[in-house]
Amino acid sequence: MKKLFSFLFVLLVTYNATTAQNSQTVTSYSAGTLSILVSSFSNSVTNLTITGTLDSRDFVIIRDAMPQLQVLDLSGVNIQAYYGTEGTYPWGYNSFPANELPMYAFYNPNGGSQTYNLKTIKLPATLTSIGSNALNGCYNLTTLTIPSGVTSIGDNAFQSCNALTSISIPNTITTIGNGAFNYCQNIAGSITIPSSTISIGNTIFQGCSKVTKFIVDANNPNYSSLDSVLFNKNQTTIIECPEGKSGVFTIPNTVTTISDYAFLNCSKLTGSVVLPNSVTSIGSNSFNNCNSLTGTFTFGSGITTIGNSPFIGCNRITDFAIASGNANFAVSGGVLFNKNLTTLVKYPPGKTGSYIIPSSVTAIGNYAFYYCQNLTGDLVIPNTITIIGEGAFSSCNGLNGSLTIGSGVSTIGQSAFQSSNNIKVIYCLRATPPT
């Protein structure tokens, strides 16, 4: 009897799983009419094939009215242009080009992704572009091929497609937008940039910690790769290091510019960084969360520009150093200053204990101590200082004593002490509070 019950239970589960699949095929002869064609089954359909003509209004129906959809075949669809207020971007009048997977096609900006169950999409064979945020938040999407006619991938187009394990960029793509594949956490291995791609946005694989290598076709006119890192063609600019790259990376002496976010989240890079003298600029957030870099970060003699907050989360960088001959910056006690030591520029985030600001300093730069959580004890802003920059001591949670603001401080930037929540008492020595 027990065996019979088990058999019947398995049979029932199998039957329910089978009958739960609802496959439908529809042909749309007029764009904007899909809601009528699917009205009888939209809430239950799991597998849907559409042929014919659609526009952005129809993608609203696919996105918001088909909660069980798992498999979607659009290979026989032509996408018409649409201009109006009823498309996938809900605010105001918008233009949706022909042959483009509409912006926000599967991601409702009012309520996030509505397509949690979608696993497979076959895109239209006639597609030429993928709009911004088109597939953002398709968390369970495992199977997708970019058609060979596509030339443009919009900003954040595939963001958070967590179930994708690989992506092939066809040799027709000319433009990849900002953050196109951000947080596709299971895309792994190498990414090949074809010869056709002439424009790449910022951080196209941010949050993709399993991507280990960029390979750029040798015939690409604008980009190249070296030691798995993405560069411009003549390797004067580092654009993006893959987050899964491990070990020591030596910056070549051809480099003059390290882009914003270039090494963001590269937590597997190790050793100490020595910038060659050729480097003149490092961008904002350029080394953030490189928490396996250790010891001293050395700036070359050529450095002229340092962006905001380039070392957030680099909690093992304990000191800065600078090559002799630099005309713009100086280092004292492992801290970076302007040349004449009147502006404190950057404090190393891994430096521990309390710190006495030198009396030569008249200004604390923007974000100079931002997220320096190893800075502890009391903080005294000397009377010589007149300006505390924006975000200068923000998120310094190790400051756990008193804060004394000197009598010379006349200006305190926005969010200068935001989230430094453990400061117990503040003393202001200026008769008129600073602004």
Side-chain angles (χ1 to χ4, degrees):
M1 179 63 70
K2 185 176 181 181
K3 289 184 179 180
L4 178 61
F5 175 79
S6 298
F7 173 76
L8 291 173
F9 177 77
V10 170
L11 185 64
L12 179 63
V13 169
T14 304
Y15 173 80
N16 285 339
T18 302
T19 56
Q21 297 297 308
N22 182 352
S23 299
Q24 301 287 339
T25 298
V26 297
T27 299
S28 173
Y29 295 101
S30 179
T33 63
L34 185 66
S35 61
I36 300 170
L37 299 174
V38 301
S39 60
S40 63
F41 57 78
S42 62
N43 283 328
S44 61
V45 65
T46 58
N47 297 52
L48 179 62
T49 298
I50 305 174
T51 59
T53 303
L54 302 179
D55 67 21
S56 183
R57 293 170 294 177
D58 300 306
F59 281 90
V60 174
I61 303 304
I62 298 171
R63 181 190 69 193
D64 297 344
M66 299 183 183
Q68 305 304 319
L69 189 62
Q70 297 177 26
V71 178
L72 177 63
D73 185 350
L74 300 174
S75 58
V77 163
N78 288 309
I79 299 176
Q80 285 190 351
Y82 171 71
Y83 177 77
T85 61
E86 298 176 356
T88 48
Y89 189 74
W91 296 298
Y93 285 85
N94 292 282
S95 179
F96 300 87
N99 298 318
E100 176 175 284
L101 188 65
M103 58 178 172
Y104 296 95
F106 296 94
Y107 181 81
N108 188 330
N110 275 328
S113 178
Q114 309 298 309
T115 50
Y116 301 110
N117 293 310
L118 194 59
K119 296 178 180 179
T120 301
I121 301 176
K122 290 183 180 180
L123 294 174
T126 55
L127 203 67
T128 58
S129 60
I130 297 173
S132 63
N133 293 282
L135 293 145
N136 188 342
C138 290
Y139 304 113
N140 291 307
L141 185 65
T142 59
T143 305
L144 181 137
T145 299
I146 300 173
S148 59
V150 173
T151 61
S152 175
I153 298 172
D155 295 349
N156 309 112
F158 294 90
Q159 180 168 307
S160 299
C161 290
N162 294 339
L164 287 178
T165 58
S166 64
I167 195 76
S168 178
I169 302 172
N171 197 28
T172 53
I173 297 290
T174 61
T175 302
I176 302 174
N178 297 325
F181 299 95
N182 281 4
Y183 304 106
C184 293
Q185 297 173 353
N186 285 301
I187 291 180
S190 61
I191 300 295
T192 299
I193 307 295
S195 60
S196 59
T197 304
I198 57 175
S199 177
I200 296 176
N202 289 330
T203 60
I204 57 172
F205 284 93
Q206 179 183 334
C208 302
S209 60
K210 296 180 182 179
V211 173
T212 58
K213 187 175 188 178
F214 289 120
I215 302 170
V216 180
D217 190 291
N219 293 317
N220 189 296
N222 290 355
Y223 299 100
S224 64
S225 55
L226 177 67
D227 195 9
S228 304
V229 176
L230 180 64
F231 291 77
N232 66 341
K233 184 63 175 179
N234 58 5
Q235 296 181 354
T236 58
T237 299
I238 295 178
I239 296 170
E240 186 169 352
C241 179
E243 292 183 12
K245 182 175 172 59
S246 61
V248 175
F249 174 67
T250 301
I251 297 171
N253 57 17
T254 57
V255 173
T256 61
T257 302
I258 298 174
S259 298
D260 294 349
Y261 308 100
F263 292 93
L264 177 66
N265 297 330
C266 291
S267 60
K268 297 177 183 178
L269 291 180
T270 58
S272 298
V273 175
V274 178
L275 298 183
N277 292 334
S278 58
V279 174
T280 61
S281 173
I282 66 171
S284 298
N285 308 105
S286 49
F287 290 90
N288 285 5
N289 299 323
C290 292
N291 52 27
S292 294
L293 295 178
T294 57
T296 301
F297 188 104
T298 302
F299 298 92
S301 62
I303 194 75
T304 62
T305 304
I306 299 172
N308 287 333
S309 308
F311 303 108
I312 296 172
C314 297
N315 294 326
R316 298 173 71 186
I317 293 178
T318 56
D319 293 279
F320 293 129
I322 196 161
S324 60
N326 188 282
N328 300 285
F329 299 100
V331 169
S332 177
V335 180
L336 186 68
F337 296 83
N338 66 341
K339 188 63 177 178
N340 58 5
L341 302 176
T342 58
T343 299
L344 195 155
V345 178
K346 298 294 174 192
Y347 189 85
K351 197 172 186 66
T352 59
S354 59
Y355 179 66
I356 298 173
I357 299 172
S359 59
S360 63
V361 176
T362 61
I364 306 291
N366 293 340
Y367 303 98
F369 290 83
Y370 181 58
Y371 223 81
C372 289
Q373 298 189 341
N374 292 309
L375 179 66
T376 59
D378 299 329
L379 177 65
V380 176
I381 309 294
N383 294 333
T384 55
I385 290 178
T386 61
I387 298 171
I388 299 174
E390 180 178 330
F393 293 94
S394 180
S395 299
C396 291
N397 291 328
L399 291 174
N400 55 6
S402 63
L403 166 63
T404 301
I405 299 174
S407 60
V409 176
S410 59
T411 302
I412 298 178
Q414 185 176 359
S415 306
F417 295 94
Q418 181 177 335
S419 299
S420 293
N421 298 326
N422 294 319
I423 295 173
K424 293 182 172 60
V425 61
I426 300 174
Y427 302 104
C428 182
L429 304 184
R430 184 181 174 89
T432 303
T435 58

